[in-house]
Amino acid sequence: MSEATLAVPDLAVSAPNPVVSVKPVVLPAPGRGEDLRVRVSAPTIGRELPVIVFSHGFGGSLDGYGPLVDFWTAHGFVVIQPTHLDSRTLDLAPDDPRTPLIWRFRVEDLKRVLDGLELIEDSVPGLNGRFDRGRIAVAGHSWGAQTASMLLGARVLDAEGEPGEDMSDSRIKAGVLLALPGLGGADLTPFAAEHFPFMNPSFAEMTTPALLVAGDRDQSLLSVRGPDWFTDAYFLSPGGKSLLTLFGAEHSLGGISGYNVTETTDENPGRVALIRRLTWAYLRTALGLEDSSWPAARAALAEAGDPLGRIESR
């Protein structure tokens, strides 16, 4: 069965192009404890390429999420993947003084990528001058989705329930948030509330357009609620959002984090094919590349005989 049949029937997708991937590109990071290492992947042809800055989930690295990154780059996007301080590849000690602020370092990592786009272009042979600086999106999975959401306008509430620093970034024009954790406070388990106090977001100012992707069987060990916890940002943020709910999906959403990863508990190639095609279509429309991609994708999914999910927008 072809990917088109598994995913979204009749959705036109451009032919894949050869890609180049370079790692590590090193960005100076004073005050971080070590420089920031990123992976840069891009099609070998084309100019004015839109950019996706991708934040990995807890413990991941620049080497993850091949099923998404390979598709996005083969179909016209540059993808930049930083390795955050919580990566298993860095083995940061629990008592390291940076550990309580890793959530903030993560957000700063993404901003450092945005600040370093010129250096990144210069560091990858054949890429100089090919970025479209006016079309930049941010994406992330799980904890990476929370990181990405901060650049869209989400904020962390303090102990008194007041919104903390606004870390949004006007250079980001759209977002894709995969399995984004929901509200904190009483919705967290006692363990999560004690160890992850930053998991207390407000989405009231998350104004940048975004597509949220949630699994209807994603039961988090960090929340006392059910899978609907991962849809909070859709319902509690200003309009301009869409929600893709995947039927039968757990936290790995069918296996987006890698081709051969042991943490995938709900492996489903069709679900992954759906995610990558729909996210591609969404970003093409959200970034102003092609107006019809997202409406066509929504219509095709709605008309599918046995759909893998549903889309709603507000």
Side-chain angles (χ1 to χ4, degrees):
M1 185 177 291
S2 71
E3 179 174 298
T5 303
L6 285 167
V8 184
D10 302 323
L11 172 59
V13 176
S14 60
N17 294 304
V19 304
V20 60
S21 185
V22 175
K23 67 165 188 179
V25 174
V26 180
L27 302 178
R32 187 176 182 267
E34 58 185 284
D35 290 336
L36 178 63
R37 287 168 168 76
V38 306
R39 182 184 193 121
V40 184
S41 303
T44 57
I45 62 173
R47 302 191 66 81
E48 297 184 347
L49 300 172
V51 178
I52 302 171
V53 183
F54 189 91
S55 180
H56 62 72
F58 177 76
S61 74
L62 54 75
D63 290 316
Y65 298 91
L68 295 181
V69 175
D70 291 349
F71 185 89
W72 289 337
T73 53
H75 294 86
F77 287 88
V78 175
V79 182
I80 305 173
Q81 299 171 266
T83 290
H84 298 301
L85 288 175
D86 59 277
S87 174
R88 288 185 292 269
T89 64
L90 298 180
D91 196 25
L92 198 69
D95 59 353
D96 188 288
R98 294 169 291 177
T99 297
L101 293 175
I102 280 183
W103 70 272
R104 177 177 285 272
F105 280 110
R106 279 175 148 265
V107 179
E108 291 172 354
D109 288 346
L110 300 189
K111 288 180 174 285
R112 187 167 279 114
V113 168
L114 296 175
D115 293 341
L117 288 179
E118 184 174 354
L119 174 59
I120 291 171
E121 281 193 67
D122 292 341
S123 300
V124 179
L127 202 54
N128 186 270
R130 296 174 60 205
F131 287 2
D132 186 341
R133 308 288 181 86
R135 290 189 169 99
I136 304 176
V138 67
H141 175 234
S142 190
W143 198 2
Q146 177 173 348
T147 305
S149 74
M150 301 288 288
L151 271 66
L152 304 178
R155 296 165 76 169
V156 173
L157 300 176
D158 64 20
E160 285 72 44
E162 295 297 321
E165 180 183 354
D166 178 6
M167 303 181 76
S168 61
D169 197 302
S170 62
R171 292 171 289 187
I172 299 297
K173 306 305 182 185
V176 171
L177 305 174
L178 303 145
L180 171 65
L183 295 180
D187 290 346
L188 297 180
T189 63
F191 175 86
E194 177 183 356
H195 292 89
F196 308 117
F198 59 86
M199 293 186 67
N200 193 25
S202 168
F203 302 114
E205 303 299 325
M206 198 177 83
T207 58
T208 305
L211 169 64
L212 290 89
V213 182
D216 67 1
R217 293 187 184 176
D218 188 355
Q219 181 61 59
S220 175
L221 297 176
L222 300 177
S223 176
V224 298
R225 286 171 51 196
D228 68 304
W229 187 55
F230 292 97
T231 68
D232 283 352
Y234 173 72
F235 292 104
L236 299 176
S237 65
K241 306 296 187 301
S242 291
L243 172 65
L244 168 62
T245 301
L246 296 166
F247 304 149
E250 299 176 14
H251 199 59
S252 294
L253 304 176
I256 62 170
S257 53
Y259 292 108
N260 297 293
V261 290
T262 58
E263 62 262 31
T264 300
T265 57
D266 62 335
E267 185 174 3
N268 186 311
R271 192 176 294 138
V272 174
L274 176 68
I275 292 170
R276 57 192 192 178
R277 282 172 173 252
L278 286 177
T279 54
W280 174 84
Y282 174 81
L283 289 174
R284 282 188 58 79
T285 295
L287 294 177
L289 292 163
E290 210 278 307
D291 289 343
S292 65
S293 294
W294 180 236
R298 293 188 59 180
L301 181 63
E303 295 165 4
D306 186 18
L308 295 174
R310 68 174 181 272
I311 296 171
E312 52 195 297
S313 297
R314 53 183 297 273

